[in-house]
Amino acid sequence: MIIAIDGPAASGKGTLAKEIAAAYGLHHLDTGLLYRAVAKAMLDAGARLDDAARAAELAGALDPSRFDEATLKSQAVGEAASVVSAIPAVREVLLAYQREFAARPPGAVLDGRDIGTVIAPAADVKIFVTAIPQMRAARRTLELRARGESVNEAEVFADIQRRDERDSNRGAAPLRPASDAHLLDTTDLDIEAAFRAAVEIIEAARTGRKHG
Ligand code: DC
């Protein structure tokens, strides 16, 4: 079974994907980490973030088994990831790895921006997670502070708006729900309630398939 979970920054898709993978015994891939790792490699190399050839080269040299999630999750790396992820050659290089990951038995949950539209268009279940930007900013602020970053909520809100704008309006694989995705708005849901809502969507899709 392949489950695609897409949505904007800080919508809660990562936590949800992790919990669903654990509940169903599936592998989990946070695809944002791949773009964050390319961005971090570009920053470390002192490269310009719009240097497409360099970004593609560094994307090809990534080793996901050595990712340091704590470093990759910082605000600065997330902002840079939004820039390098708009480079078509970077997306092209990362495509094969994501498709291979999705094909690993017994199946996987992948979360990102283009899982349901590009990476796994034939996924068994697609969920598009949303929440109003104010709520996403509040959650991301708490998360970054828990990681030890001293951030200001107004700045996080501005960053989220910039990223929404960039991720949705780029030419290559823009952020948008697949036509057959189920929308899940987590604005008024805590983690537990969002998880239950997602399981309902998954179970309905599985039952529908069996009877359909
Ligand atoms: O989900 P995240 O915040 O870790 O993602 C960081 C950036 O990577 C995000 O701004 C856009 C990009 N991204 C993408 O373009 N496609 C994906 N499948 C996942 C992330």
Side-chain angles (χ1 to χ4, degrees), residues 6-10 13 30-33 35-36 73 77-79 81-83 85-86 91 98 111-115 119 140 163 167 170 173:
D6 290 300
K13 62 187 187 309
D30 170 354
T31 64
L33 286 179
Y35 296 95
R36 285 171 180 266
K73 286 286 184 181
V77 173
E79 172 73 19
S82 174
V83 178
S85 66
R91 308 199 70 84
Q98 295 174 81
D111 72 87
R113 303 288 188 289
D114 63 339
I115 309 303
I119 306 297
R140 180 51 57 92
R163 287 225 265 153
D167 296 348
R170 66 185 179 211

Side-chain angles (χ1 to χ4, degrees), residues 14-210:
T15 306
L16 205 53
K18 213 174 279 171
E19 291 188 346
I20 291 168
Y24 285 90
L26 301 169
H27 302 290
H28 169 231
L29 180 63
D30 170 354
T31 64
L33 286 179
L34 301 172
Y35 296 95
R36 285 171 180 266
V38 175
K40 173 77 170 41
M42 292 288 278
L43 294 171
D44 288 350
R48 280 182 46 155
L49 291 177
D50 61 355
D51 183 341
R54 193 74 201 279
E57 179 196 326
L58 292 173
L62 288 186
D63 177 358
S65 68
R66 299 185 58 183
F67 282 175
D68 174 18
E69 199 170 324
T71 317
L72 297 180
K73 286 286 184 181
S74 78
Q75 172 90 340
V77 173
E79 172 73 19
S82 174
V83 178
V84 300
S85 66
I87 300 172
V90 169
R91 308 199 70 84
E92 191 66 40
V93 170
L94 298 178
L95 183 73
Y97 174 78
Q98 295 174 81
R99 291 223 170 121
E100 276 160 27
F101 190 98
R104 287 181 197 172
V109 181
L110 286 85
D111 72 87
R113 303 288 188 289
D114 63 339
I115 309 303
T117 51
V118 177
I119 306 297
D124 300 276
V125 188
K126 299 178 186 177
I127 302 178
F128 193 86
V129 187
T130 57
I132 59 167
Q134 290 82 352
M135 180 58 83
R136 290 190 277 128
R139 289 181 189 152
R140 180 51 57 92
T141 303
L142 287 178
E143 184 194 329
L144 289 167
R145 285 188 184 147
R147 289 179 187 279
E149 274 196 65
S150 61
V151 288
N152 162 307
E153 191 167 326
E155 277 168 23
V156 174
F157 181 70
D159 174 66
I160 279 187
Q161 287 196 308
R162 260 198 314 277
R163 287 225 265 153
D164 282 358
E165 166 78 19
R166 208 183 283 126
D167 296 348
S168 307
N169 295 319
R170 66 185 179 211
L175 169 69
R176 63 176 170 79
S179 57
D180 53 350
H182 300 268
L183 297 186
L184 175 55
D185 187 336
T186 67
T187 303
D188 298 319
L189 303 180
D190 61 14
I191 293 174
E192 182 60 38
F195 173 72
R196 280 199 307 269
V199 167
E200 262 177 41
I201 292 171
I202 295 165
E203 290 307 311
R206 289 192 342 153
T207 315
R209 257 206 333 276
K210 258 183 250 147

